[in-house]
Amino acid sequence: YLNMKANGFIINTPSVTVGTGGGTLDTWSGTSYKAAKYLVTARDSGSTTWTTMEALVATDGASNAVVTTYGIVSAGASGTPQVSLSATASAGTVTLTATGAAAGTVVNFEKTYLVGS
């Protein structure tokens, strides 16, 4: 899914469709990795508004995970962010959840995990 083109990279990841009730974007081992960074794009399938954001997730490796989003940019007709993110941890597994502005919100993301010492 990673292509080099000209002097940059093209990252083409599979889409995840989430609704207003939320859907899982990613899960990972909080005992192996203590943090993750995401670059996210989202769009309601019936809208011309796109949202791009970055997110950082940190965990204690057991039962706590927190997420912060930043650099949120929405371009298009409504200008309203098309997705929000939340993080949870249970028994060492971290889950990143996306909640869409509408039922057919389509999300793509790139991730980087960081090992804790």
Side-chain angles (χ1 to χ4, degrees), residues 31-43:
T31 56
S32 298
Y33 307 106
K34 299 302 179 224
K37 180 178 180 178
Y38 295 87
L39 177 60
V40 178
T41 62
R43 156 181 97 76

Side-chain angles (χ1 to χ4, degrees), residues 27-107:
T27 58
W28 43 278
S29 170
T31 56
S32 298
Y33 307 106
K34 299 302 179 224
K37 180 178 180 178
Y38 295 87
L39 177 60
V40 178
T41 62
R43 156 181 97 76
D44 170 9
S45 62
S47 170
T48 58
T49 300
W50 283 85
T51 298
T52 300
M53 67 177 65
E54 289 192 84
L56 297 175
V57 179
T59 183
D60 65 359
S63 60
N64 295 298
V66 293
V67 61
T68 187
T69 56
Y70 57 96
I72 302 168
V73 179
S74 294
S78 77
T80 301
Q82 297 299 296
V83 70
S84 61
L85 303 177
S86 61
T88 58
S90 178
T93 299
V94 177
T95 301
L96 181 66
T97 301
T99 301
T105 302
V106 179
V107 181

Side-chain angles (χ1 to χ4, degrees), residues 10-22:
I10 297 171
I11 299 171
N12 184 12
T13 59
S15 297
V16 177
T17 301
V18 300
T20 57

